[in-house]
Structures are given as structure tokens and as C-alpha cells.
Amino acid sequence: MAEYQTEQRKTLVDFMKKNRESSFTIEELVIRMQSDLASGSVPGKSTVYRLMQKIVSEGTVKRFVKGNSRQFVYQITGCEHFDKHLHLKCVECGKLFHMSNQLSDDVFKQIFADSNFSIDEEQTVLFGKCAECRKGKSW
Ligand SMILES: [Zn+2]
Ligand SMILES: [Zn+2]
């Protein structure tokens, strides 16, 4: 059982690594994996959901709200559990950028000092446009 789970987890993480610029809902992930991979090796929706909770808590995958919907989407970060930094997501190309741990820490401290508010970096993604997508534009 444990070994089976490890294999399913690998299938899921490998798929997300191959699509590192995309974010998916659980449903989209299952549908995409079913069309891209050999059926039979694709974990079911409830398994993906369960595995994802663990992977998110480890920092490997980021969970955030999709646009102005109430759906959660998931995207691979490639970070380690001990990384405590903010992530920036480009709304045009979908790329995820890592703020440095040092700068993130400064931001957390500043916000805490200014607003007495403690940021949960696991739940936070900043949306904007990357340098590449802003080419020729002022912002
Ligand atoms: Zn971009
Ligand atoms: Zn990161």
C-alpha cells in the first residue's frame, strides 16, 4: 500500500514538474494526466486530492485561488520544505518566481511592524507581470 502511494505521488509530481508553468485544479490534473499518461497509472481524484494536501504542506507545490473564482489551483514550486519565501506569479505567462528568503523575511518583518499582521507565506502568492511579459510596456 505504502509503495503504491509512493508511485502515485511520483506520477503526480513528475507530471506537475513537466508542466511547471501551469496551475491546475484537482479535476484538471486528473483529466490531463489521463490524456497524457498511460491509463491505469493515473491516480484517481480522491487520491490526488489526498496526496496534494501532503505535497502542499511540504512546500513542493503551491496552492492558490484561481483568478476570481473560488477554486483552488496547484502549481509546482520546486522549493524545499525549509524554504520560507514568497512566490510571485506572472498572470500572463503563468511562471512562478521565488523571492529570496532574505527579502521575504524583510517583507514579513515590515508588514508585522507596520500592521501587526503575521503573513502566512504558505498561503500567499503575489500576482503580477514578469519582466519578459512587460517588454515594451510601462508596467
Ligand atoms: Zn510572464
Ligand atoms: Zn520557492
Side-chain angles (χ1 to χ4, degrees):
M1 185 65 194
E3 220 168 275
Y4 186 56
Q5 277 226 0
T6 312
E7 219 168 277
Q8 291 186 318
R9 181 197 162 106
K10 194 174 174 301
T11 303
L12 178 61
V13 172
D14 284 353
F15 180 81
M16 293 185 83
K17 277 185 185 159
K18 266 188 257 157
N19 296 279
R20 61 174 64 250
E21 277 153 31
S22 308
S23 49
F24 304 98
T25 64
I26 299 285
E27 282 87 358
E28 286 165 348
L29 263 173
V30 174
I31 292 165
R32 284 288 303 274
M33 284 195 293
Q34 277 168 349
S35 74
D36 287 17
L37 308 169
S39 57
S41 65
V42 177
K45 196 177 143 187
S46 59
T47 308
V48 171
Y49 185 80
R50 197 155 21 83
L51 286 169
M52 198 65 91
Q53 307 311 306
K54 180 136 201 302
I55 299 169
V56 167
S57 75
E58 291 165 358
T60 316
V61 164
K62 195 92 200 152
R63 184 182 83 159
F64 47 91
V65 176
K66 181 186 185 180
N68 48 15
S69 76
R70 297 200 172 171
Q71 274 186 306
F72 282 122
V73 289
Y74 300 85
Q75 183 167 0
I76 198 101
T77 63
C79 309
E80 299 294 337
H81 190 38
F82 49 80
D83 280 334
K84 292 266 180 252
H85 54 238
L86 285 169
H87 292 89
L88 316 171
K89 184 170 168 65
C90 177
V91 295
E92 298 233 328
C93 66
K95 276 188 195 132
L96 205 57
F97 298 88
H98 310 258
M99 195 185 274
S100 73
N101 288 10
Q102 180 60 55
L103 180 56
S104 303
D105 201 46
D106 288 348
V107 170
F108 298 144
K109 281 182 184 148
Q110 292 271 359
I111 292 172
F112 191 79
D114 187 70
S115 312
N116 193 20
F117 192 85
S118 165
I119 300 284
D120 180 354
E121 96 284 338
E122 273 186 28
Q123 304 273 1
T124 308
V125 176
L126 301 176
F127 293 92
K129 288 184 189 170
C130 73
E132 198 62 31
C133 294
R134 284 195 332 274
K135 263 185 188 161
K137 297 174 194 158
S138 54
W139 64 280

